[in-house]
Amino acid sequence: MRNVFWLLGLAALAVALALLVGHNQAMLSLFWPPYRFDVSFNFVLLCLVVGFVLLYLAIRAFTLLRELPQQARRWRSQQMERAAVGAVMDSLAHHLAGRFVRAQSAALSALEQLNSQPAEQWPRRGQLQMLAHLLVAEAAQSLQNRNTRDEHLQAVLHPGLAKASPEVREGALLRAVRWAVEDRDVQTARTVLAELPQGAARRIQALRLKLRVARLAGATGEALETARLLAKHRAFSPDASRSIVRGLAMDALHEARDLSQLQVVWSRLDTSERAMPELVLAAAKGAHRLAAAEPLDGDVVSQASAMVCAWLEPVWPGFVSLEGDLQCRLAMVMEPVLAGLDAGWLARLEQSQRQWPNNAYLQYLTGQACRQRQLWGKAAQLLGQASLSLRDPLLLRRTWCALAQLAEERGDLAAAQSAWKRAAQMSD
């Protein structure tokens, strides 16, 4: 389309010139006393055009001649700039290839070329210089040369140079945190993290480093909060996020020193986390352990039982859908609180057993609850059924012990002796 317009313009110009000079008989008289010159008007136009072109070319040539030194300086500067950029690229390529000595040498060469030229000639010289310093520090970290690493890191973070590229400064701070984590220097890592701008501190890379620092420092609560943020931002896969959060939450529960602290840790968990069977098991075991560590105090035991019952409520409806190992562990942590179950929990337990009559763990729990309430016949029936299906040695031994006690209650010494014998065999 552009060519068409050019052709139309040239055609219009040709028509205009043909109309103007084709039949132009005008004459131009020039007087230079005592002489007179008669010149064709077309010739005068041609001379004016040629003179304008020659004058323009002369001025252009003179300008180019004056600019030759500046052009030469600019060309030399561009060549050195290209060499510096090439050295930085070579350093990065060597670092990615694991050639850290060559990467360090190339970055130092780039710094020499950058420092040999005035700063005003290269608009992005500061950013390129920061990248070269950072590559030297990265290579020095890989070579375990901490003095060189710290020297070039401080050069990157220098206020006069850091203004050239805030992004490179933020990257240098993140790398410094990573190096401190690799050196297991928690204090330095926390100090550098505090220097990050607010926006950079919320990025996924910064949160990952913050999680590593918190775990290295043993700050389980801080690590758990950070892991939740990472899961929210989808920094990990759903399964990995669930596993990390679950592991940190279990560590927080294990760190509790008394029941009140355990209750505080549990209250800080999210609703989805409280529904994890693994966390319920960890919390229940912690409550039993802390209650057993206290002197004989009925109030502490009652408090622990109430806490365990409250924690089991979210996972109890899905009891039969859990894996066999989890069902067994849940039955073990629930057994100590059977004596203190209220009417609501007893009805829930009995309803579950009726709904899934072949579940050995429900048979065991319901049978033990009935035995503690002196419902001997029903307890013997349920525990007898459980003894045929249970595979866990501990639960099976407890089942035979309970059956032996029930046999003694009804005066069946032979059955009691046989049950005690079976229980002894399980303990072996």
Side-chain angles (χ1 to χ4, degrees):
M1 183 60 69
R2 182 181 298 177
N3 295 331
V4 173
F5 285 119
W6 273 105
L7 290 175
L8 291 177
L10 291 175
L13 180 62
V15 171
L17 290 176
L19 292 176
L20 179 62
V21 302
H23 301 284
N24 188 4
Q25 302 297 329
M27 300 291 292
L28 181 64
S29 297
L30 301 175
F31 293 94
W32 186 271
Y35 303 104
R36 172 185 172 182
F37 301 94
D38 293 328
V39 184
S40 171
F41 184 75
N42 292 342
F43 180 74
V44 172
L45 288 178
L46 179 61
C47 291
L48 289 175
V49 171
V50 172
F52 175 79
V53 171
L54 292 176
L55 180 62
Y56 173 78
L57 292 176
I59 294 174
R60 185 66 178 171
F62 181 73
T63 304
L64 291 176
L65 186 62
R66 290 186 58 185
E67 291 180 353
L68 280 178
Q70 183 179 359
Q71 292 286 349
R73 289 192 298 268
R74 186 182 305 171
W75 180 84
R76 287 195 298 268
S77 177
Q78 288 178 353
Q79 293 301 315
M80 296 192 69
E81 184 179 6
R82 290 174 181 174
V85 172
V88 171
M89 295 177 64
D90 290 340
S91 175
L92 180 60
H94 288 314
H95 182 78
L96 294 176
R99 298 177 174 179
F100 303 119
V101 176
R102 295 187 181 184
Q104 188 175 22
S105 300
L108 290 173
S109 175
L111 286 174
E112 292 178 1
Q113 296 173 0
L114 288 167
N115 294 328
S116 64
Q117 291 294 319
E120 60 272 13
Q121 292 190 7
W122 298 350
R124 304 190 69 175
R125 172 179 174 273
Q127 183 180 16
L128 195 61
Q129 191 173 8
M130 293 176 68
L131 289 174
H133 278 298
L134 189 58
L135 286 171
V136 174
E138 188 72 35
Q141 170 64 17
S142 301
L143 296 172
Q144 296 299 310
N145 189 347
R146 293 180 175 82
N147 293 330
T148 303
R149 179 199 69 186
D150 295 338
E151 177 184 353
H152 287 272
L153 177 62
Q154 293 303 320
V156 177
L157 300 179
H158 191 274
L161 188 61
K163 295 180 181 178
S165 179
E167 293 80 9
V168 179
R169 180 180 181 275
E170 294 171 2
L173 290 173
L174 291 175
R175 299 306 298 173
V177 176
R178 188 180 186 89
W179 298 336
V181 171
E182 292 177 358
D183 296 340
R184 306 187 70 82
D185 189 350
V186 178
Q187 185 61 35
T188 302
R190 288 188 178 276
T191 303
V192 178
L193 275 175
E195 296 181 12
L196 282 172
Q198 186 176 4
R202 293 196 299 265
R203 296 171 190 163
I204 292 179
Q205 182 66 17
L207 291 176
R208 286 176 181 267
L209 291 173
K210 186 178 180 181
L211 175 61
R212 294 182 62 181
V213 172
R215 298 187 70 173
L216 186 62
T220 308
E222 180 184 355
L224 182 58
E225 293 295 331
T226 307
R228 288 170 181 163
L229 286 176
L230 287 170
K232 181 180 179 181
H233 293 304
R234 299 181 180 178
F236 308 108
S237 64
D239 293 338
S241 299
R242 179 184 174 89
S243 177
I244 293 173
V245 172
R246 181 175 61 240
L248 291 172
M250 292 180 66
D251 292 341
L253 292 170
H254 291 158
E255 292 175 359
R257 294 295 178 264
D258 51 39
L259 290 177
S260 59
Q261 187 178 0
L262 182 63
Q263 181 64 35
V264 171
V265 174
W266 181 263
S267 63
R268 292 177 179 174
L269 298 180
D270 295 341
T271 304
S272 59
E273 296 168 1
R274 296 176 189 171
M276 294 182 181
E278 297 85 356
L279 295 185
V280 174
L281 286 170
K285 289 182 178 179
H288 293 320
R289 172 176 54 82
L290 295 173
E294 293 289 336
L296 297 178
D297 189 347
D299 295 337
V300 174
V301 176
S302 300
Q303 180 184 0
S305 300
M307 291 167 59
V308 172
C309 291
W311 296 340
L312 286 172
E313 287 184 4
V315 300
W316 185 257
F319 180 85
V320 294
S321 63
L322 300 176
E323 297 180 358
D325 180 62
L326 288 176
Q327 291 186 23
C328 177
R329 293 163 61 188
L330 279 174
M332 289 183 180
V333 300
M334 189 174 182
E335 183 179 1
V337 304
L338 291 176
L341 291 181
D342 55 11
W345 255 107
L346 286 173
R348 188 182 295 116
L349 180 61
E350 187 175 2
Q351 181 181 2
S352 299
Q353 195 278 322
R354 290 178 180 177
Q355 188 174 359
W356 294 284
N358 296 325
N359 189 286
Y361 301 107
L362 292 176
Q363 294 172 350
Y364 173 79
L365 290 175
T366 308
Q368 291 286 19
C370 292
R371 184 181 67 84
Q372 293 177 3
R373 285 158 181 79
Q374 298 183 358
L375 300 175
W376 314 120
K378 188 173 183 180
Q381 178 184 1
L382 292 172
L383 291 174
Q385 294 174 355
S387 65
L388 301 176
S389 303
L390 287 175
R391 294 293 180 266
D392 184 76
L394 180 58
L395 290 181
L396 195 56
R397 182 170 64 86
R398 293 177 181 177
T399 301
W400 285 113
C401 290
L403 288 173
Q405 294 174 2
L406 292 174
E408 291 177 351
E409 289 291 339
R410 65 175 180 266
D412 191 349
L413 298 180
Q417 184 178 3
S418 176
W420 283 119
K421 184 177 180 180
R422 297 291 297 272
Q425 292 175 349
M426 288 296 103
S427 62
D428 294 339

